[in-house]
Amino acid sequence: NPQEAYEADQVLVLVEGCEMFKVAQYMYSLQRNYPKVLLFHVKDPETRPHTFGFIRSLMDDPEVSEKDRAAIKATTITQLPLLIASDSVATSRLIADVFANQQDHIVSELGAYPKIQYMYLKGLLDPSSSSSSSSHHHHHHDSRDLISKVSPEMNDLYVRLMCTFDPSSIYHYLISHDNYRLDTCLKVCQEFGVVDATTFLLEKTGDHHGALQLTLRSLYSLVDTLLSSYLLMPSDNTTNN
């Protein structure tokens, strides 16, 4: 009935404007408009954590057409920033399972949001350190399989982003993983001046002299800083006067 369809559309405009997310989900589900149902699933803070399972169920549903699957994938990609912020590990695993042949494209698309890009790669390459996730404990045994599918270029990008957003974590990542290109990571850590990581990588390349020199320079710099701070402290006489 055209009149009923028109009225439903009017109601949906009102519902969306008032952010009545669950009502919107219900009404769009009646229309079998899966991309819209998914969109409001993500927008609703209460249903957002369950979106990962919802997407998987849609993609596994034999009644969902290929056209709808493509639209669901497109909607998922547009909502990646919210999904990653909600659970970076679950998002990474969803992409690896459902969008396996689009992994590089998705990482490239996230280039406009470097922090989000970093969170996504962290969920993929280092899930045990992703505190935003409650799911990595259940899927830890899959992490090696996922990491093995990651390109060396993507790994290099992750190290560079870590240098930018969380340099204090690089050393721990390097000593607990071996799926990175040594020379490339060394250059990146040197570029960003991450001393402990650079020292470790120099030793790993066999440049023990370089590692020692860097450690000594870092130590001298620390001593200079401490001495400068001490000299700037007011003396007892000044304080008493």
Side-chain angles (χ1 to χ4, degrees):
N1 187 317
Q3 179 64 31
E4 289 180 359
Y6 173 76
E7 290 175 355
D9 288 342
Q10 291 293 96
V11 171
L12 279 168
V13 169
L14 178 63
V15 165
E16 291 185 28
C18 295
E19 297 189 344
M20 299 171 68
F21 301 127
K22 289 182 178 61
V23 177
Q25 289 175 44
Y26 173 71
M27 294 190 68
Y28 278 121
S29 68
L30 293 179
Q31 298 179 357
R32 300 179 70 83
N33 188 334
Y34 301 115
K36 280 288 191 177
V37 177
L38 171 57
L39 179 64
F40 286 96
H41 216 277
V42 176
K43 285 188 174 184
D44 187 343
E46 290 186 15
T47 58
R48 189 180 304 149
H50 310 291
T51 301
F52 309 99
F54 179 63
I55 294 171
R56 290 177 186 275
S57 67
L58 287 177
M59 298 303 290
D60 291 338
D61 189 340
E63 295 186 8
V64 177
S65 68
E66 287 303 313
K67 181 180 178 181
D68 283 336
R69 288 173 198 270
I72 290 165
K73 284 186 176 184
T75 302
T76 301
I77 291 174
T78 65
Q79 298 303 308
L80 278 177
L82 274 177
L83 291 174
I84 293 169
S86 174
D87 190 331
S88 61
V89 175
T91 304
S92 299
R93 296 188 183 283
L94 176 70
I95 297 303
D97 293 343
V98 180
F99 302 77
N101 60 340
Q102 295 179 269
Q103 186 83 264
D104 290 343
H105 169 70
I106 287 172
V107 172
S108 177
E109 286 291 303
L110 291 173
Y113 314 96
K115 181 69 172 181
I116 296 293
Q117 190 182 46
Y118 169 64
M119 290 171 63
Y120 172 75
L121 288 173
K122 185 175 185 178
L124 180 65
L125 292 168
D126 198 13
S128 62
S129 69
S130 297
S131 57
S132 65
S133 174
S134 59
S135 62
H136 68 267
H137 298 294
H138 304 293
H139 301 283
H140 183 69
H141 63 284
D142 296 327
S143 61
R144 288 190 176 275
D145 291 335
L146 287 175
I147 291 171
S148 67
K149 299 174 184 176
V150 175
S151 67
E153 292 78 15
M154 206 180 294
N155 229 308
D156 296 343
L157 174 61
Y158 177 54
V159 171
R160 177 170 287 277
L161 290 169
M162 203 186 317
C163 281
T164 302
F165 296 110
D166 192 14
S168 63
S169 296
I170 296 175
Y171 175 74
H172 180 266
Y173 175 75
L174 294 176
I175 65 173
S176 56
H177 294 75
D178 57 7
N179 53 308
Y180 52 84
R181 295 192 291 196
L182 191 56
D183 291 343
T184 306
C185 288
L186 176 57
K187 288 177 183 176
V188 172
C189 290
Q190 287 174 325
E191 177 187 338
F192 282 85
V194 186
V195 175
D196 54 353
T198 302
T199 302
F200 169 73
L201 292 172
L202 284 171
E203 290 181 342
K204 202 166 182 180
T205 62
D207 187 358
H208 302 293
H209 177 73
L212 178 60
Q213 289 294 104
L214 182 60
T215 302
L216 289 174
R217 282 201 301 270
S218 178
L219 182 60
Y220 293 151
S221 177
L222 178 61
V223 171
D224 285 342
T225 301
L226 290 173
L227 283 173
S228 298
S229 299
Y230 176 76
L231 292 173
L232 288 172
M233 290 175 62
S235 65
D236 291 340
N237 292 335
T238 305
T239 304
N240 293 332
N241 291 335

